[in-house]
Amino acid sequence: MTEPRQSVAGVSPETPATAPADSHAELAEHLQRSARGDQQAFGRLYEAMSARVYGLAVRVVRDPAQAEEVAQEAFLEIWRMAGRFDPERGSPLAWMLTIVHRKAVDRVRSAEAATRRDTSYHQHNQPVAHDATAEAAHAGLEARRVRAALNTLTPVQREALELAYFGGYTHTEVASLLGLPVGTAKTRIRDGLIRLRDTMGVGG
Amino acid sequence: MSDIHALSGAYAVDALDDVERAGFERHLATCPTCRDEVASLEEAASLLIESASPLSAPDTLRERVMAEIALFRPLPPLTGQAAPAPVVRGDHGHAAPEARDLAPVVPLRRRRVPALAAAAAVVAALGLGATVVQPLVDRGRDGQPVITESGVQRVLQAPDARTQTYTIKGGARAVVTVSRELGQAVLRAEGLGDLPPGMVYELWLQHDERMVAAGFLPAGADATVLLTGDASTATAIGITTEPEGGSPQPSLDTAIRFPLTKV
């Protein structure tokens, strides 16, 4: 549990350098209790995670109403799957955000056929007021470190990664958007993630 | 094939299409190196949101979430070796004979029934004893499998999930689970034959007389797929073979169609 680092490419359960407002240990504890049906613990988990969960959903699906649905679905899944979170395999933060991201991407892709994302983006893009409290909680050192780490990526790596992660595009679409030969965007995305991982000292 | 490792990053940020994703998950099941790499890259990806300007969630969200979770029991943990095989429940938790013997296989939109569909009409109803659908849970990533299968899991475990098994010519089977409440359907295909290069199995949801594209099956292997699109009122699921990338309309001469029971 508290081994500082696993040797190979394992994921260290605690990565203090990047622990957000709530430490990984606390989040893991909330998850554990949630798995036993403790709704209060889940409430605390919600408090700790809602800005990130909703923020990620909005970044990907863009439409606030749909983002709220995605966030709700993701929270339900986190609740139901809480007992299957394995701290040996990764941080609670990554586990939860992976769930959210997958749902957001699925939503944006399945919605695509009906309405072009750009349309709904322009229609619904009334700036959602930034909340000062959330801002303060988030935008500390951590955000600056991540931005600094992102600045070490090549422009193409960064753009490919952001189009994939926040845009919800497939690597093939990313290649096309960036005018890269098919098959190279996936490498840029991977290289970018590896650099981000190594700069931030997470996950191996 | 050797190149498949290179998909780890795209997988970690959900930048694979459905077919690639399914293929990579099969690879993950056998490649610990890739599993570790994916896990570490997901850690990295989870930091990206920190770089964005934060938004706070609307107040209504908390109420909705807390009200909803009160309705569901958290799933039991996976207990390793002897994990009970996830049983796809039919109506009320019976593992048994939802095995719908064969559904009539009919051509889409009452057209003529050429080649494959005609062949499919020969389908024999196998007396399938039980609809126990195999390891849906543990595919992909050991340890934290459900992330990748979550949409599938959610349908399979929905209280109103109904599972029907259809037999297709040549021993192939399709196991279809629909949750009308979730509006989603999962299809497990077994033993569908390989397709020529450049062709894919495309899935469809039928709404009245309209067929709506609902994703793809990875070719040549057994696969479990969450159909995209709204299944809450779909009347049938179809499988056709299409050129890679899919078609705007199903190629009717290759259609296999599975009618769904009414709500």
Side-chain angles (χ1 to χ4, degrees), chain B:
Chain B
M1 205 41 179
S2 58
D3 204 29
I4 196 162
H5 304 281
L7 291 177
S8 62
Y11 180 77
V13 293
D14 299 310
L16 298 181
D17 65 38
D18 292 346
V19 175
E20 289 172 319
R21 186 192 281 180
F24 189 72
E25 285 177 357
R26 279 199 303 279
H27 170 67
L28 275 182
T30 62
C31 181
T33 312
C34 279
R35 281 204 297 274
D36 286 342
E37 179 163 296
V38 164
S40 77
L41 298 183
E42 284 173 352
E43 294 293 327
S46 72
L47 299 173
L48 285 168
I49 190 61
E50 307 294 336
S51 72
S53 16
L55 295 175
S56 53
D59 295 337
T60 47
L61 180 61
R62 188 181 204 282
E63 291 159 38
R64 287 165 56 189
V65 165
M66 296 309 289
E68 194 178 18
I69 63 148
L71 305 176
F72 292 90
R73 183 188 82 145
L75 295 171
L78 298 174
T79 50
Q81 333 90 315
V87 171
V88 175
R89 287 174 306 162
D91 275 342
H92 297 289
H94 298 294
E98 268 306 292
R100 256 313 173 100
D101 289 337
L102 174 65
V105 176
V106 296
L108 301 168
R109 294 192 196 165
R110 297 187 225 106
R111 289 254 207 119
R112 272 184 324 118
V113 190
L116 209 164
V122 188
V123 175
L126 296 184
L128 302 166
T131 346
V132 180
V133 174
Q134 301 290 331
L136 291 172
V137 174
D138 266 320
R139 288 275 205 78
R141 313 169 178 202
D142 63 359
Q144 303 199 8
V146 260
I147 297 174
T148 59
E149 299 278 359
S150 55
V152 168
Q153 281 299 306
R154 203 172 162 212
V155 173
L156 297 182
Q157 294 171 357
D160 71 323
R162 287 187 63 90
T163 298
Q164 298 167 245
T165 300
Y166 305 91
T167 319
I168 305 163
K169 187 191 173 266
R173 294 203 307 164
V175 182
V176 175
T177 303
V178 179
S179 164
R180 300 291 193 179
E181 268 166 37
L182 296 176
Q184 291 185 308
V186 164
L187 183 139
R188 175 168 174 80
E190 299 172 356
L192 283 179
D194 280 330
L195 290 173
M199 300 297 286
V200 293
Y201 287 112
E202 184 160 15
L203 305 173
W204 306 86
L205 284 168
Q206 181 171 3
H207 296 276
D208 300 319
E209 289 297 285
R210 216 159 38 92
M211 298 302 287
V212 182
F216 300 94
L217 277 180
D222 296 354
T224 303
V225 183
L226 179 67
L227 276 68
T228 56
D230 183 4
S232 58
T233 57
T235 51
I237 286 176
I239 304 179
T240 61
T241 58
E242 306 290 344
E244 218 160 275
S247 305
Q249 291 296 319
S251 307
L252 299 178
D253 55 348
T254 64
I256 306 172
R257 175 181 170 279
F258 311 109
L260 301 173
T261 46
K262 290 267 155 25
V263 188

Side-chain angles (χ1 to χ4, degrees), chain A residues 2-19:
Chain A
T2 48
E3 292 170 41
R5 209 74 207 290
Q6 288 166 347
S7 46
V8 198
V11 175
S12 45
E14 295 240 0
T15 45
T18 61

Side-chain angles (χ1 to χ4, degrees), chain A residues 155-177:
Chain A
V156 180
Q157 285 172 350
R158 179 169 182 169
E159 212 165 353
L161 181 55
E162 290 183 339
L163 281 170
Y165 192 74
F166 291 122
Y169 295 105
T170 65
H171 71 93
T172 313
E173 292 164 345
V174 169
S176 168
L177 288 167

